[in-house]
Each structure stands twice: as C-alpha cells, then as structure tokens.
C-alpha cells in the first residue's frame, strides 16, 4: 500500500498538458461512475475495495478503499477539471502505469450527482460535499485510512439525461459487469460488491486463474481452464485458455486486458480465434482471457475517452506470440478431448452392411490416378477387396464396419468405436498433401487473365513469392490485372475455384497459403452423399489415423470416439 509520502499530491494540470489529453466522455450511465471510481481506488494502492449500489446506481454509488487517502489540500482540488496526482507533464503520458491519469472523473461526477468524499491519509480525516461542481462543505471527520466516495441521485439536475436511463435491473447488470472487468486483472486486491444492501460478490485475494474461476464459476465450466505464460521483448503474456471442448457461439468470453485495462483490440481477438482455428469449427469460439503487460513506451492509451482502445508499437509481434502460444497449447490435446459430450451422440448402428476385419496397410492404392477423389473406386467384389487388403503386412489392426448415410465411415480400434466423417477426413488428407508437396507444375497454354479488386490485389502482392513457391505462377499485367500462368497439376481441375480465391478480398492475411489449400481441399474432397467402396473407405481411414492433426482445415473433427465403457453406460449395461 502506498503511504502519504510515496504518492504525489493532487494538482491541477497546466493548460498545455491538459490539451494533450484525449477528451473524456461525459458520465451517461451509472456504470461510467463505477468504472472511474474503481480505477481511482485501484490507483490508491488499496488492498480492499468495496462497491455498493442502490437502484442500479441511480440512487447511490459508493466505493470505499483502504488506500493512501487524500489530505485536506488534495480534497480542495480533486474535483476540479484536470486535477490529478497521476501525471505532471506531457512526457508522463508516455510512461504512466496508473488506471487513470486525466483528472476528469471526479469533476464529471461532481457536476451530475450529489457527491461526498471522506478521506484520511492516516492522521485526520476530512469530508467534502459537492453539488453541481461546487463545494458545499469541507470539514474534519473521523474515518480510517483510505477514501470513501459516494455519488447520490444521479442526474438530479439533468432530467433530460435521466429519462434515458434504463430500468434499475438493467443498470445494475452493467454496473456488475464493470465491477468484474475491474476485479479480474487485479487478483492481488480483495473486491466486494453489494446490491441494494445485499452482498453479491466477495472476491478474496488469489491467483489470476482462480480469480477467473471465482467470477465465472456459475457461467462456464472453469475446470476446463488452463494457465500459460509467455515472455516477449518488452512485454509478457498470461493466458487463461479454455480446452477445445469449452466453447460458445459468441465471443463473450474472449477477453483481452492490456496493462490491466480491458480493451477492444480486434487484432488480438483475431489472433485468439486464429490460434483455435484448427480445433474449433466455424461459428464456434473459445473461452480465453488474455492478459498482456507491456512497457508503457510501447503503447498509447491516450486515444479513447474510456481507455478501451490503444495504439501498439509492436502489435504484429504480440499477435504472432498469441497465435504461437495457443497453437502450442492445443497441440497437446487428442481429438477425444475436443469432441462433443457423449449425451449429444445418438446414432443407430443397425444399418451396417459390411463387417470384416482389415489390417492397417502401408499403402493400398496407386499414387497417380485421375479420379476426382484421388482415391480409386474399386469395382472388385467385397471378398476380392478383402483378400486384396489382407494380403499386405499390417502393423496395427482396425475393424472397418461399413459406411453409414453415405457420409460416415464406421470402424473399431483398440476397444473404441470410431465414426469418421469421410469428407472432413479426405479434406484433411488432401490439405496435408497440398501443403507438403505441390507436385508437378502445369503451364497454361493460354494464361488466365484475372481482374482483381484493390483489397485483393494487396493480398496477392504480399504473398506473390509464397504463391510462386507453391506452384502458382502469377504475374501483374497492370494495376488490377493479373495473369495466372501456371498451377500445380494436381489442382488443375480447380482452376475456377483458385481464381475466385484470388479475386475475393476474404481470407486470412496471416497465412494465405493455408486458406488457399483449405479451399482447394474442400472442393476436391469426397462429399456428403458419395458412396465409396470398401477399399477406398479403408484407405481413407488408414491415412486419416496417421494425420498430424485430426481435424479438417476448417476446425471440424474428423471423427467421434466412443469407448466400450461409454457404450455400456449409454445402453444401460453393467461392465
């Protein structure tokens, strides 16, 4: 905790410094007051902070702390515009580490609510009463060290603004959300919140992971959270990451804090979703809390009135670190740990037609073929196919049971039943082939002339070298006009798909080739509804179980696993 001598006194900033500060927002809702008062309490060096609201904060908002407190001289200045103890010169804006620094919060609050401040620095306390920005009284008052600030009757003097407030329940919800946002990045401080004289939150000092669990224990499965740390050049990252099975249909629980402030930085949200891309399907988002501590000279918060945005001098570096950290974390999960809960699985297994045991081969089919599936459809009878397969010398065994619904390949291995999505599996097989070996290059007799919009042209120019290495020879004829002169022979039939990819401004700029290979694989792979032979099915299974990633390039799982024990439980049998 700070002592009186360790902190600076409150002073009114000089005009040349005040003009450098981004304009503060007017207090428009009770949660705005909660945000500003909690920031001040945190900056005071408090160990304990209590928030009390009544009627959604419309009647009263009271924040008390056991921080360093203010002297009588501080109280005489603290409610004036640009009065602060946080900074002195414009250079301080580049190095400040406090939650607040503009000196506008108390001034704004004091103009729209009846405000009382009771504070003590460890000696004699004083009580200040302000209405409409003017001092009503300042007199000695006994109190413990720290500060208590209460704002009553919000907008008592601004009825036009008061009529825009929501119902107390709605305002309460916003205040509580703000309280959580301030408490989450400070697990070293004890926070309490009471609503209409009833205690709603009691957050003891703890670790960062446990603070998340304490706040969201009734909202998410907190046992599925892990904590990771990353050290960069001038910054560090602490990430609370949800296991792949912990996901949602919205981004509500993707939260980013930079230097203890929750910010809205799309680049980091994108980095998180991109990191989870290969284990979560489209439209599903992870649960992730990101805490970035960065040296003050590498960031500028003085661009948004509520400090919800910032400018970064090393944004790309941090973005890359976030993606790498998440992908390294996810690499340790098996597909079993990422699949849906068993109670969502309701499949009938009675329509299986083929039941034979196949041994895992090293290779079944020729490397070259012209079939659109790149996996030869066999015309042999089943018995012939079985003899063909079993003639190889296997290392492992799996039992292929058949194809269901012209989509799912059913097989058994190691006392576990597998239901494989033939399209997703084949898509991943092709993706790995394209990524690792472009194959021979086919020159086009007549180059394909492509008209490219400006945003897409920037994408192509940035990755022209990578495209050429991958076998896509493309050159610029003039602004907005490009010529496709060659492409890998194995994707020659996808020429129109590739051209559309170049034209589209969509696609992840972080890894254009990954997006391109994913698009090509999806177009080329066996589709839902395609019947396939036993030999082709076995070949897909064999290749799929050896893949480095058991998900399609868009994040969907290749298969679903059900153990023997789970099947017994599902059907009510005793083991």
């Amino acid at each position: 905790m700070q002592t009186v001598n360790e902190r600076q006194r409150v002073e009114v900033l000089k005009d040349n410094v005040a003009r450098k500060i981004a304009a503060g927002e007017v207090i428009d809702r009770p949660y705005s007051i909660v945000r500003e008062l909690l920031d001040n309490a945190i900056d005071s060096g408090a160990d304990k902070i209590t928030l009390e609201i009544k009627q959604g904060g419309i009647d009263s908002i009271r924040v008390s702390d056991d921080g360093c407190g203010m002297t009588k001289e501080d109280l005489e200045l603290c409610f004036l515009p640009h009065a602060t103890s946080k900074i002195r010169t414009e250079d301080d804006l580049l190095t400040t580490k406090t939650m607040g620094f503009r000196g506008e919060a108390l001034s704004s609050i004091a103009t729209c609510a009846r405000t009382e401040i009771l504070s003590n620095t460890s000696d004699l306390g004083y009580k200040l009463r302000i209405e409409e920005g003017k001092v009503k009284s300042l007199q000695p008052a006994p109190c413990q060290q720290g500060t208590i600030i209460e704002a009553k009757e919000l907008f008592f003097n601004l009825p036009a603004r008061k009529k825009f407030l929501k119902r107390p329940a709605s305002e309460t919800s916003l205040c509580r959300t703000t309280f959580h946002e301030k408490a989450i990045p400070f697990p070293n401080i004890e926070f309490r919140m009471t609503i209409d004289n009833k205690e709603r939150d009691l957050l003891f000092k703890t670790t960062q992971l446990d603070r998340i669990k304490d706040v969201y224990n009734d909202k998410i499965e907190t046992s599925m959270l892990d904590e990771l740390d990353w050290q960069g050049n001038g910054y560090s990252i602490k990430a609370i990451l949800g296991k792949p099975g912990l996901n949602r249909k919205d981004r509500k629980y993707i939260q980013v804090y930079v230097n203890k402030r929750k910010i809205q930085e799309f680049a980091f949200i994108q980095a998180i979703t991109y990191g989870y891309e290969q284990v979560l399907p489209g439209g599903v988002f992870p649960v992730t809390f990101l805490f970035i501590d960065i040296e003050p000279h590498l960031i500028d918060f003085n661009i948004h009135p509520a400090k919800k945005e910032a400018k970064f001098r090393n944004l790309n570096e941090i973005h890359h670190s976030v993606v790498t950290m998440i992908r390294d974390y996810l690499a340790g999960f098996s597909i079993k740990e990422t699949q849906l809960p068993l109670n969502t699985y309701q499949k009938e297994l009675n329509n299986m037609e083929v039941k034979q045991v196949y041994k895992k081969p090293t290779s079944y089919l020729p490397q070259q073929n012209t079939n659109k599936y790149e996996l030869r459809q066999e015309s042999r009878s089943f018995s012939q196919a079985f003899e063909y397969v079993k003639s190889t010398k296997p290392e492992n065994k799996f039992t292929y049971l058949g194809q269901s619904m012209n989509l799912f390949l059913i097989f058994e291995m190691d006392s576990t039943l597998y239901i494989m999505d033939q399209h997703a599996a084949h898509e991943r097989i092709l993706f790995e082939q394209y990524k690792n070996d472009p194959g021979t290059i086919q020159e086009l007799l007549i180059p394909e002339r492509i008209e490219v919009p400006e945003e897409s042209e920037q994408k192509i120019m940035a990755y022209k070298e990578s495209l050429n290495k991958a076998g896509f020879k493309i050159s610029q004829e003039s602004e907005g006009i490009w010529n496709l002169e060659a492409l890998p022979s194995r994707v020659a039939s996808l020429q129109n798909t590739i051209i559309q990819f170049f034209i589209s401004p969509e696609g992840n700029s972080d890894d254009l080739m990954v997006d391109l290979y994913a698009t090509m694989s999806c177009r080329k792979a066996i589709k839902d509804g395609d019947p396939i032979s036993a030999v082709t099915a076995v070949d897909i299974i064999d290749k799929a179980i050896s893949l480095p990633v058991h998900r399609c390039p868009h994040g969907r799982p290749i298969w679903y696993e059900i153990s023997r024990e789970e099947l017994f439980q599902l059907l009510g049998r005793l083991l």
Side-chain angles (χ1 to χ4, degrees), residues 177-222:
T177 296
T178 302
F179 172 81
H180 288 156
E181 290 177 359
K182 294 300 178 183
I184 283 172
F186 290 96
N188 59 315
I189 301 176
E190 179 183 301
F191 286 86
R192 294 171 180 258
M193 181 177 186
T194 66
I195 300 173
D196 296 325
N197 297 318
K198 295 181 180 179
E199 187 171 83
R200 289 295 303 275
D201 289 277
L202 174 54
L203 305 173
F204 293 110
K205 292 184 179 183
T206 185
T207 64
Q208 186 62 78
L209 176 58
D210 286 338
R211 174 57 57 89
I212 297 290
K213 291 182 176 181
D214 290 342
V215 171
Y216 292 114
N217 190 50
D218 60 339
K219 301 291 194 307
I220 57 179
E221 182 52 62
T222 55

